[in-house]
Amino acid sequence: TGNSCPRGEEYGKIELTNPTRTITSTVAVRGAAHPRCPVKTNAPVPKDTVFDVAAALDAVELTAPVHIGQVVIPNVCGTGVDIVATKNM
């Protein structure tokens, strides 16, 4: 109650019934100027899979060149969501 924005009401309902999170992190990359490449999910994943997704990211090592939007892990942990690179390296 008390919401003045319909988006807030929708967010509250989702947060109570099926909470999700967008995950941002980094993965190792070889042959680039920097040792880590930033990545994120291309859609929110269920909150109860966050630690599984983080573990999957820990096992990844890319090789340069890496391009923005490149899929790093397709369908991560069976969620239907891809992990994508967010920086050219």
Side-chain angles (χ1 to χ4, degrees), residues 9 14 28 30 34-35 39-41 43 54 61 70-72 75 84:
E9 179 179 358
I14 291 171
R30 282 188 190 187
H34 301 286
V39 296
K40 73 176 196 103
T41 54
E61 183 175 69
Q70 177 179 327
V71 175
V72 174
N75 189 24
V84 296

Side-chain angles (χ1 to χ4, degrees), residues 20-89:
T20 60
R21 298 290 183 267
T22 297
I23 299 174
T24 61
S25 187
T26 60
V27 295
V29 61
R30 282 188 190 187
H34 301 286
R36 308 285 297 176
C37 178
V39 296
K40 73 176 196 103
T41 54
N42 64 355
V45 296
K47 188 176 177 182
D48 62 350
T49 65
V50 169
F51 290 109
D52 296 332
V53 171
L57 288 170
D58 194 40
V60 172
E61 183 175 69
L62 302 175
T63 302
V66 177
H67 302 285
I68 290 176
Q70 177 179 327
V71 175
V72 174
I73 305 175
N75 189 24
V76 65
C77 298
T79 61
V81 175
D82 297 335
I83 301 289
V84 296
T86 61
K87 183 176 181 180
N88 289 322
M89 298 192 76

